Amino acid sequence: MENNNNGDPTPVPRVAVVIFLLKGRSLLLGRRRSAVGNATYALPGGHLEFGESFEECAAREVKEETGLDIGKSEFLTVTNNVMLEQPKKCHYVTIFMRSVVGEEQVPQNLEPNKCDGWEWYDWDHLPHPLFGPLERMVKGGFNPFSS
């Protein structure tokens, strides 16, 4: 945060990397426990650290949150998300990645203070409510299986 002329903190945009983890026609979603998007279903991901590539960030966040090891990931798109309706107003530039996970891997909830748990959901039967940035992509016709 920076300070404005009154000394109050001024929010600044942050960069998040999230990943569509795909297994067959399913994707991995977790129910958020956060001031931003609380109780909504979201993709694994988090903040980009200084010097990290998008691929490195995606692999690190997936390992930290789910214990899963991912191989190669690919860039899908980027969105600009200004969330003024949240209890904690924020602005994120979100990098969306994609990776395929092997059948033998089972996600664990390694950050229970941030997520209620991880589950595989069929693309045609996603849970509700979805986290805002993901919901806007789905309603806009985005499909991670065909992009």
Side-chain angles (χ1 to χ4, degrees):
M1 294 241 173
E2 296 177 359
N3 288 328
N4 62 19
N5 292 337
N6 298 331
D8 296 328
T10 303
V12 296
R14 299 197 63 190
V15 177
V17 176
V18 299
I19 185 157
F20 283 96
L21 286 180
L22 309 180
K23 183 164 70 169
R25 288 282 301 162
S26 297
L27 72 151
L28 189 68
L29 295 174
R31 193 163 178 257
R32 294 174 62 91
R33 298 180 64 165
S34 171
V36 178
N38 190 52
T40 62
Y41 290 88
L43 301 166
H47 296 114
L48 182 69
E49 292 184 357
F50 184 83
E52 240 180 353
S53 70
F54 300 155
E55 296 82 5
E56 290 167 338
C57 181
R60 176 183 54 77
E61 287 289 347
V62 166
K63 184 71 171 176
E64 288 175 3
E65 295 178 2
T66 71
L68 298 176
D69 291 306
I70 61 170
K72 183 180 182 308
S73 62
E74 63 181 323
F75 172 82
L76 291 178
T77 191
V78 62
T79 61
N80 186 40
N81 305 288
V82 180
M83 295 176 268
L84 301 177
E85 73 286 353
Q86 296 293 323
K88 180 180 175 187
K89 294 173 180 24
C90 58
H91 179 180
Y92 278 94
V93 174
T94 306
I95 311 299
F96 285 85
M97 305 291 286
R98 171 176 55 196
S99 185
V100 176
V101 177
E103 292 290 328
E104 69 285 352
Q105 292 197 71
V106 178
Q108 306 166 62
N109 188 13
L110 299 179
E111 295 181 334
N113 59 322
K114 296 180 181 179
C115 178
D116 286 333
W118 298 101
E119 297 289 337
W120 295 101
Y121 292 93
D122 183 82
W123 178 249
D124 295 322
H125 300 95
L126 295 176
H128 294 285
L130 294 175
F131 184 46
L134 177 59
E135 181 180 39
R136 285 187 288 281
M137 288 182 69
V138 170
K139 284 185 175 177
F142 180 82
N143 184 333
F145 296 92
S146 63
S147 298

